[in-house]
Every structure is written in C-alpha cells, then in structure tokens.
Amino acid sequence: MAHVEIKNINKAFETGKSILSAVSFTINDGEFVSLLGASGCGKTTILRIIAGLETADSGSVLIDGQDVGAASPKDRDIAMVFQNYALYPHLNVRENISMGLTLRKIARPEISRRVQETAALLGIEEYLDRRPSALSGGQRQRVALARALVRRPKVFLLDEPLSNLDALLRDKTRSELKLLFERVKGTVIYVTHDQVEAMTMSSRIIVLNKGRIEQIGAPQEIYSKPRTAFVASFLGTPSMNLFDVSKAIQCGLLSQTAFGSKSALMAGIRPEEILVSQRRQDGFVEVEILVAEPTGALTILTLKTGVDLRAVVKGSFNNARQKIWISLPDQHLHFFPN
Amino acid sequence: MTARRSYWLNWVYALPALIMIAVVNVVPMGQTFWWSSGFGRLSSDSRLWGVLRNTTMFTFFAVSAELVLGLAIALLLAQKFYGRGFVRAAVLIPWALPTAVMAMAWRWIFNADYGVLGDIFYKFHLSSSPNIPWLASPGLAFFSCVLADVWKTTPFMAILLMSGLAAIPSELYEAALMDGAGTWRRFWMITFPMLKPTIAVAVIFRAIQTFGIFDLIWVLTGGGPGGKTQTIALYVYDVVFRYQELGYGCTLTLVMATALISFSTIFMLLLRPKSS
C-alpha cells in the first residue's frame, strides 16, 4: 500500500484549452479519496495521468516518493477499474481476472489460489468459467473489481465504477465497495460525479471545477464549511440556497444592522437549516409557498421571496393558506465573495 | 390513409425498382437454368478441372495476400500520426482506378522488353537480364496476375478492416496496458478475436469477387500462356462466345455459382461466433 503525491499538474488540449491547472494533492496510505466534479472537470484525466495512460504537460506523480512520470502503466503497480469494465470479451472470467498475474510471470498455483480467494471475496466463484457476455451488469462490475483486487496493487484507481448500474444495485454496491476496500486496506482514488457516493464512501473528497481544485477535505467538513460557492452548490440535495446579501436585506430576510457590512458578498444557507414555522413568531418573516414537493420523509418547499429560496421540512406538509414564517439562523449562514 | 391502402401503395412505389431487378437479375438467372445443357460433359471436360484449380488457387493466393497486407495497413492507419488523412486517401487510389485501365498499366510494368519491373529486378541484381517474361512464362504469369490483383484490391480490404478496428473500445487496450500486455499479446488477446467477424465478411466478399475475376486477367494475359491463367469466368466466355456453345456455358455458370455458395457456407460456419 502506498502514498500518492500529485505535484502541480497542468494539462491542456492541443487547441490550448486548459484541462487541468495547478492540480496538487496528497493521498495517504490506506486512504479512500474521491475526485468529485461535474463531467468535463478533468477528474478522469487526473486518474489517467496517475495510471500512466496519459501524460501531463507539466508536474509530477509520486508513488511512495518515487517519480513515476517515465514509468509505463504496467510498471506503476496500479490497478484500474474502468467505467465500462473493459473486460476481455473473448476470455472467461477466470482468465480475465488472472491475466495481470499471468503476464507478470507469477507461479501458476499462486495465481489459481489468489483468483479463487478474490472470487470468493466478491461472490463470483460460480461464474469463473463464463464469458463476460453471459454476465449481468452487476456481475461484470464485480469481475472488473476482482481483476484489480487480485493484483494487490499499491493503488486502486476507480473510474465511476457504479455509473452503469441501476439505482437499486448502485446503492447496495456502494456500501459493499466501502467495506471491501476497508477490508483489503487499499489506497483508493475514486472518480465520481455523484456527491452521495463521494460523501458516503470517502475519507476525503477533492472537489474539482473546470480543471482546478476547489476544496480538499473530509466529507463533513466540505459539507459544513464549503470554501467556495461552487462547492456549496455542488454538495447536498436540494442544493444550498445562494443569494446576494444586499437583496436578502432588501426583502427583510437578513437585518441591515447585522449584515450591512457584508452586503457586497454572496450568502448561502442549506435548505434544511432554514427555520420554518406555521405561526407568526418573533424574528420570523412571512413568505408565500410557491411549490411544495413531498418526497416521503421530507417535503421541499420553494418559497416566494425577493431571492430564490428553498426550505426542507420533515414529513408531509399541509398548509392550505400557502403561507409560512421563516428565519435564517446566523450560525448556519455561509458567505462567499460575489 | 388506412393501413391496407398504404400497404398496397408501398408495393406500387417499389414496382419500378422491382421490374428493373426482375429484368436484369431474375430473368437472366431463369434463362441460365432454362438454357443450360450438357451436364454430362462436366465429368469428361478435361479443361474444366484445370480451370477450377486455377480459379481456386488464384482466389486463395490473392485473398490471403490481401488479408495479410490489408490488415497490416489497417493497423498502421489506425495509429495516430501526422498526415494520416492524406495517407488514408492515397492508399485508396489503386482501388478507385478502373480495372481495365490499371491492368493496362500493369501490362506495361510486366512487359518483357521495356517493363519497369524487370528493370528493377535487374538493377537490384535479382536477375541477370532486365527482360523477364512476367506474363509469357507459364511459371510466372499466374503470380503476376495475383500481384496485380492484390495491388488493386488490398485497399478495399484495408478499409473494411479499419472500420472493424474502429469499433473496438479503446478501454480494452488500456486495461491490457495496465495488465502488462505487450503489443503482440494485445493483438492476439483483443484485436484479432474482436476483428474476426469483420475478417469473415471481408474474406467472403473478396473471395466471391475474386472467384469470378475476368477483366484484369483478360487484359493481362487473356488466360494464357497455355491456359495457365484461365479462370472459370474466362472459360465461360470462351465456351459461349468463341465456341458458340451457349448451353454448356450456362451449365458452367451454374457450377461456378454452386462452388461460391458452398465456399461461403463453409467459411461462415467456420467463423461462426462460439456461443459461451
């Protein structure tokens, strides 16, 4: 297991458009780190640069302190799980899993022992003699994982491994994956655009936007202390309310005396932190409900105020008058440069 | 419009095309059967077996060479390099030329007195004289014809195989790179098995066309010397137009069709994807 260090990586398309700019981060031994961002933010490119499938224009990749920039993918002792699994269609599951070991000239008995062990770990022993085409999406995904695990590499790279599974299976596999990599004590770099995957599985999250790192931190830290408006809006469902402080003062949601000095900034508050009352209360502002969307456990309220605002309340919400009173608690307000 | 009416209208719209096909395809085919005669002669026709052997050998050598060369070119042109678009277009030129025209050019190249190929052999000390009878020598004429055919049709093979290569997902090669597979291993593990269906279609296509070859050989050797390059299509031409034996010519055409149908069937069965 290993320590991965990315130092000041830059990459641009041939047209000159930047893909990655000044990307640096460190991943510690046994850590599960997610690269989170929208599509096109460069997260997969980072993964491919670490794997050696692409080269950076400048900057370096260090694995256990050694610069691997000149090493070919096979010499980096890294395993990758591809988004579409990339299983060899003409080899059976056993051959697919063992190929990396066979090509590394590992002794046969050792290979068959490790393949058996890994297949047992992932519950795919019965499929070892089948071709990938005879497997379901979830089974193929496990074979792809087995192919990576069996090698016992220094680092695991996972490129959106759950994105091709249906929603129900994805939820189940998410927790299984987390347990699995805890058990093998793997160093994992996990690329995803799904904030729930990143939040639930990672020890740390690296949030990317347009080829730049927006924030690095533990999931809870990123959620509660977003450093930029992008991070704030990217994590959490429904996403954080963002509005100009000056507008909020105008429509009475924030007081001039307390926030007048911040009127040039942008403010943010998570929908679940907004206090909602059915009755008139001190310090609360009366607002109209535009839409109430019940989701079962929660109801999302879109409110009619001078700024775009959504609030979340527990359970179902009955309000014939379409009117409530809300308050934005100071301690839950975030401020970002506008 | 009711479904029934539109159904009949579809047939009406297709009618001109159907009539054309009937006139140029179905009617001649029926006539071939109708006119064919002299089946008894097939077994005693001593030339037929030589002609069939020539045709089969020609098809085998030409298509094999095209496959190997076409695959090499396709693999080369699948790589990214500067000026690839130009090279891709340039490779196609032989295939775009009319056969009669390119065959005339090859007749010059092969000419025993002033042909450039003999001169090249002479200059590279591969021959003691520049006057090599490429088309007149019974031993050389056959392979000269194969060479000219390979030159012309390899681009077609390369194009078909290139489309097959383009359909192989690049992730597979990347996974193989991470597994530590070298170029050779990647070819046999990924490229070849995934290209097999395309190869099958390309080979069948080319084999059918080559089996019926006429124009190229007609221009180069006319079937000679001594019938060494006479293929079945040339033989049919001789029987019908030189000896005026239409009935037997039709019979020979049926032999040719039977041979092609059985070859295609066998090849398809051999390359049928295995169900796992």
Side-chain angles (χ1 to χ4, degrees):
Chain A
M1 291 299 128
H3 172 95
V4 182
E5 204 176 339
I6 307 298
K7 276 188 183 165
N8 201 23
I9 283 198
N10 291 283
K11 188 172 174 71
F13 285 115
E14 278 167 30
T15 54
K17 192 175 170 282
S18 171
I19 307 167
L20 295 172
S21 34
V23 171
S24 299
F25 57 84
T26 304
I27 290 164
N28 298 315
D29 194 3
E31 237 190 331
F32 193 122
V33 174
S34 291
L35 294 173
L36 176 65
S39 60
C41 73
K43 53 194 192 302
T44 298
T45 308
I46 296 178
L47 207 66
R48 292 169 59 84
I49 288 172
I50 299 173
L53 296 172
E54 268 180 58
T55 48
D57 297 341
S58 66
S60 49
V61 177
L62 285 81
I63 297 175
D64 280 341
Q66 282 205 323
D67 192 329
V68 295
S72 70
K74 73 177 162 74
D75 297 326
R76 296 189 180 195
D77 201 6
I78 280 175
M80 184 153 167
V81 177
F82 292 85
Q83 186 171 2
N84 299 313
Y85 317 139
L87 301 176
Y88 309 125
H90 298 86
L91 304 181
N92 67 26
V93 170
R94 187 192 309 278
E95 291 161 334
N96 261 288
I97 298 176
S98 57
M99 186 52 70
L101 301 179
T102 313
L103 292 172
R104 281 179 176 74
K105 310 254 183 306
I106 288 169
R108 249 169 211 224
E110 167 77 359
I111 293 179
S112 73
R113 196 182 57 75
R114 268 160 72 171
V115 168
Q116 209 62 45
E117 190 184 290
T118 312
L121 185 69
L122 288 159
I124 50 171
E125 295 138 294
E126 352 167 11
Y127 316 124
L128 281 176
D129 294 315
R130 286 201 202 163
R131 290 271 181 95
S133 54
L135 301 178
S136 71
Q139 289 161 347
R140 280 179 215 186
Q141 205 257 355
R142 279 157 189 274
V143 176
L145 274 173
R147 182 165 69 175
L149 285 167
V150 80
R151 292 218 348 242
R152 298 178 190 158
K154 283 184 178 166
V155 185
F156 293 97
L157 306 178
L158 281 73
D159 187 6
E160 309 228 10
L162 304 183
S163 61
N164 283 341
L165 302 179
D166 57 55
L168 206 67
L169 192 58
R170 189 156 53 218
D171 283 356
K172 193 168 150 259
T173 314
R174 202 170 58 211
S175 45
E176 282 180 4
L177 265 186
K178 186 180 179 178
L179 263 174
L180 183 70
F181 283 106
E182 268 170 21
R183 207 185 311 169
V184 300
K185 297 187 178 63
T187 305
V188 181
I189 306 176
Y190 187 98
V191 160
T192 182
H193 66 270
D194 182 336
Q195 42 135 341
V196 180
E197 283 175 26
M199 290 290 287
T200 52
M201 298 167 81
S202 337
S203 53
R204 279 192 305 153
I205 299 176
I206 298 169
V207 185
L208 287 155
N209 182 29
K210 293 179 184 152
R212 289 176 185 279
I213 293 181
E214 292 271 335
Q215 190 171 0
I216 303 179
Q220 200 48 50
E221 181 190 337
I222 286 192
Y223 187 78
S224 55
K225 288 177 194 147
R227 197 189 294 154
T228 63
F230 175 83
V231 177
S233 62
F234 201 77
L235 282 112
T237 332
S239 62
M240 183 184 277
N241 297 298
L242 290 171
F243 45 85
D244 292 334
V245 172
S246 54
K247 273 194 189 163
I249 292 174
Q250 261 176 38
C251 63
L253 284 165
L254 297 176
S255 77
Q256 169 70 35
T257 44
F259 297 103
S261 61
K262 291 192 162 106
S263 60
L265 297 179
M266 181 182 269
I269 187 164
R270 297 219 173 267
E272 63 271 25
E273 308 288 11
I274 296 178
L275 297 177
V276 175
S277 166
Q278 300 266 27
R279 280 169 288 107
R280 190 180 297 277
Q281 281 188 46
D282 258 7
F284 280 61
V285 184
E286 183 183 314
V287 293
E288 201 179 312
I289 301 170
L290 274 178
V291 187
E293 299 165 278
T295 64
L298 301 168
T299 301
I300 303 164
L301 305 175
T302 304
L303 306 171
K304 190 179 176 188
T305 64
V307 296
D308 288 334
L309 216 54
R310 290 203 289 180
V312 166
V313 291
K314 274 198 181 129
S316 61
F317 190 81
N318 275 319
N319 190 313
R321 284 179 302 157
Q322 300 285 308
K323 258 181 195 171
I324 49 166
W325 285 264
I326 61 163
S327 161
L328 313 182
D330 294 359
Q331 73 271 24
H332 291 307
L333 283 170
H334 304 267
F335 294 95
F336 308 105
N338 206 338
Chain B
M1 192 184 293
T2 64
R4 198 179 162 75
R5 226 179 110 199
S6 83
Y7 173 82
W8 285 111
L9 257 177
N10 289 344
W11 278 105
V12 171
Y13 291 143
L15 205 61
L18 289 175
I19 291 172
M20 280 293 280
I21 290 171
V23 169
V24 302
N25 266 332
V26 182
V27 171
M29 263 202 284
Q31 280 178 327
T32 308
F33 276 101
W34 187 251
W35 287 336
S36 59
S37 64
F39 284 91
R41 257 174 77 182
L42 284 176
S43 56
S44 58
D45 184 347
S46 56
R47 257 179 95 190
L48 174 64
W49 301 112
V51 162
L52 273 180
R53 202 188 54 230
N54 282 347
T55 315
T56 311
M57 296 284 273
F58 188 87
T59 306
F60 173 77
F61 282 113
V63 176
S64 308
E66 277 167 32
L67 178 60
V68 173
L69 288 174
L71 186 56
I73 290 172
L75 288 171
L76 209 68
L77 292 185
Q79 311 293 319
K80 279 187 187 134
F81 58 86
Y82 182 76
R84 179 170 70 164
F86 176 76
V87 176
R88 277 188 176 182
V91 160
L92 264 179
I93 292 173
W95 184 60
L97 290 172
T99 311
V101 173
M102 63 66 66
M104 284 303 289
W106 275 97
R107 226 166 82 175
W108 290 339
I109 294 171
F110 285 138
N111 189 288
D113 298 322
Y114 53 80
V116 70
L117 192 62
D119 194 49
I120 290 172
F121 267 61
Y122 177 65
K123 289 213 168 110
F124 280 92
H125 303 289
L126 295 164
S127 158
S128 56
S129 149
N131 300 325
I132 305 170
W134 295 107
L135 297 172
S137 143
L140 282 177
F142 179 82
F143 287 101
S144 301
C145 290
V146 169
L147 175 66
D149 188 54
V150 167
W151 180 83
K152 179 178 167 56
T153 49
T154 297
F156 180 70
M157 190 65 113
I159 287 211
L160 282 181
L161 296 178
M162 250 155 65
S163 71
L165 283 179
I168 302 176
S170 59
E171 270 196 349
L172 281 180
Y173 290 105
E174 291 173 350
L177 267 180
M178 312 243 9
D179 268 347
T183 315
W184 194 241
R185 172 72 74 147
R186 287 202 298 275
F187 177 80
W188 288 112
M189 194 165 73
I190 301 166
T191 313
F192 186 71
M194 296 208 69
L195 206 56
K196 247 164 71 177
T198 315
I199 290 177
V201 170
V203 165
I204 288 179
F205 222 82
R206 282 299 309 136
I208 289 174
Q209 236 178 358
T210 312
F211 203 83
I213 190 165
F214 180 82
D215 42 6
L216 177 78
I217 296 179
W218 180 253
V219 173
L220 281 180
T221 64
K228 285 284 177 195
T229 58
Q230 192 175 41
T231 59
I232 185 142
L234 277 116
Y235 184 47
V236 170
Y237 179 88
D238 266 7
V239 167
V240 174
F241 294 100
R242 262 175 76 184
Y243 312 136
Q244 309 273 312
E245 293 184 85
L246 183 62
Y248 190 54
C250 287
T251 307
L252 287 173
T253 311
L254 293 179
V255 169
M256 191 169 150
T258 313
L260 281 177
I261 290 167
S262 18
F263 161 78
S264 308
T265 313
I266 292 169
F267 202 76
M268 293 269 246
L269 287 175
L270 281 177
L271 280 176
R272 191 174 42 175
K274 269 176 270 173
S275 49
S276 59

